[in-house]
Each structure stands twice: as C-alpha cells, then as structure tokens.
Amino acid sequence: MPGHAHDNAITAEPSEAIMASFDIIETSIVTQGDDAIFTTRVRGEAGIDKPDATGKFEGSSVYAYVWPTTLNSGDIGFDVDQGIVALAVTFHPDFDDAANGGKNRHVWHPHWVVLGEDAACPGGLKVHDIPEGTTPKVPPTWPNVPLLIDSPEYPTDFTGDTVAVSIPVALIGGIADASFDGVTAGLKINANLHAPLLCVDNVFKVASGDLSLPGKVAPAK
C-alpha cells in the first residue's frame, strides 16, 4: 500500500515531548485509481504503543490515528449534518466493536466516527451518542453500539513509521473535494457508561497544530 510523501501532505515538526509512535510528521489523503489512500507517518514505529488492558469495558482506553475531514456524515451512511466526520484507526484491548459481532480487540482496525464538541470530555470532543429510543440512519457495518460509528473492513497497513488505509472512492461521497487534518489521540469509555460514552481524553498531536483541516485531497502523483 502506498505510503509515500505527496504534495498535498500536511507536514509537522517532530517533538520529543510526544510519544514517538504518535508524533505525526506527515499526513495525507490521496486518490489513486479507484481508491483513496489515508496515510500518516510518525517519528517512531507506527502502532507499536497500545493501551493497557483493564479487563472491563467501562473506563477502558482507545488509542487512535485519526483523519478529521470535511466529509458530511451523509457521505458515509449516517443522517446528514451530524458532526465532524473522521476516519480513525484504533486499538482497544478491552472490547470488540466489529460489524456483525466480529472480534477486533486484538488488532488495529479502522472506523468512521462522527465527532462533536462536548465540554464534559477532557479533550473537548466526543463520538456522538445515539440517544436511547432513537433510530437514526446507520451504515450496514454499524457495530450495533449507541454511537455514530461504523466498522468497515478496509485494508489497513502498518509498515515502519507509517499507517495507511485504502478505501474505495465509490464508498465515500465527496472525497475528491474534501479537506483533512491528522490527529493522534487517546479516547476513553465513560466509567459510568453514560453519555458521552466515548470521549477524546487526550490529544497527542494535531498535524496542523490548530485542527484547521488545511490538507486538500488530491490525485496521487
């Protein structure tokens, strides 16, 4: 899977203060043939650091490589205008959230998430909750949890300092005109299992520095 530098990449200065495996130095989204390739390169070895297992769902941690975008939630199978659409490659050893009851707690895997601001979260953002008794539109690979989250099985590759995800362009409306950023973060499940259920707990790094989504999706060169 391609992991090369591209003209549209967002580059960031390395920082010794950030865990090397989450210290973003470059992030990009390019279209190549029938696919969109989401790539992030870090100062250390991508994917080597994972959260410690706690043995329970409530209060457990998630680590993530994230590409916030200007895509609309309607582009990925949810109702329109629900929040910030991001692709996230995650690892969480205490629970499974694959589609159709599958197991994924043992591997890094991709999700679409719809994020929103919430002052109750230490990082100021949450994955949007689905209130009890409501039945919003969800994608076919929604993992049957009360969150605006999708669990598609996109090819995901960790090689050295790079993580890359390949997604068929046909599955993402609007990708050709999208803007993006790169984030590494830790998330946490609410210890009381109340809304917000999944908070951004600790932002490790934002590629742009200010989450301004300066990257523009472009064809690979």
Side-chain angles (χ1 to χ4, degrees), residues 22 31 59 86 103 145 158 187:
F22 294 110
T31 55
K103 306 297 183 187
V145 296
F158 283 82
L187 297 89

Side-chain angles (χ1 to χ4, degrees), residues 4-96:
H4 307 298
H6 294 285
D7 292 345
N8 75 326
I10 304 168
T11 57
E13 290 296 317
S15 170
E16 295 288 336
I18 299 167
M19 203 180 333
S21 62
F22 294 110
D23 185 12
I24 299 171
I25 56 177
E26 184 181 87
T27 190
S28 66
I29 304 174
V30 299
T31 55
Q32 190 164 54
D34 295 332
D35 295 320
I37 313 295
F38 291 62
T39 305
T40 289
R41 193 158 61 89
V42 293
R43 180 168 55 88
E45 182 180 346
I48 194 170
D49 291 298
K50 306 175 181 74
D52 293 329
T54 65
K56 57 183 181 179
F57 176 59
E58 54 271 30
S60 63
S61 294
V62 179
Y63 282 178
Y65 297 86
V66 186
W67 293 261
T69 73
T70 55
L71 290 170
N72 194 287
S73 50
D75 293 332
I76 59 165
F78 294 101
D79 289 317
V80 299
D81 301 335
Q82 295 301 296
I84 302 165
V85 170
L87 183 73
V89 174
T90 69
F91 194 102
H92 40 77
D94 287 304
F95 61 94
D96 299 303

Side-chain angles (χ1 to χ4, degrees), residues 9 29 31 46-47 49 52 60 68 70 77 80-81 88 104-105 112 114 126 141-142 154 178 201 207 221:
I29 304 174
T31 55
D49 291 298
D52 293 329
S60 63
T70 55
V80 299
D81 301 335
N104 62 2
R105 70 178 68 193
W112 285 114
V114 182
K126 66 178 178 183
T141 44
W142 175 64
Y154 300 140
D201 185 59
K221 294 185 177 180

Side-chain angles (χ1 to χ4, degrees), residues 107-215:
V107 292
W108 287 96
H109 57 272
H111 289 291
W112 285 114
V113 294
V114 182
L115 303 170
E117 295 182 358
D118 195 319
C121 292
L125 290 170
K126 66 178 178 183
V127 178
H128 269 300
D129 299 276
I130 296 177
E132 190 173 353
T134 64
T135 54
K137 182 182 179 184
V138 294
T141 44
W142 175 64
N144 198 32
V145 296
L147 295 167
L148 295 185
I149 185 171
D150 189 23
S151 299
E153 292 188 4
Y154 300 140
T156 302
D157 180 69
F158 283 82
T159 302
D161 61 0
T162 300
V163 52
V165 184
S166 178
I167 305 174
V169 170
L171 299 180
I172 327 169
I175 188 64
D177 301 316
S179 301
F180 66 91
D181 213 324
V183 174
T184 49
L187 297 89
K188 193 174 285 288
I189 297 291
N190 190 321
N192 298 315
L193 300 182
H194 294 150
L197 178 61
L198 181 55
C199 274
V200 176
D201 185 59
N202 183 15
V203 175
F204 302 140
K205 188 168 184 175
V206 178
S208 67
D210 58 5
L211 206 58
S212 56
L213 278 66

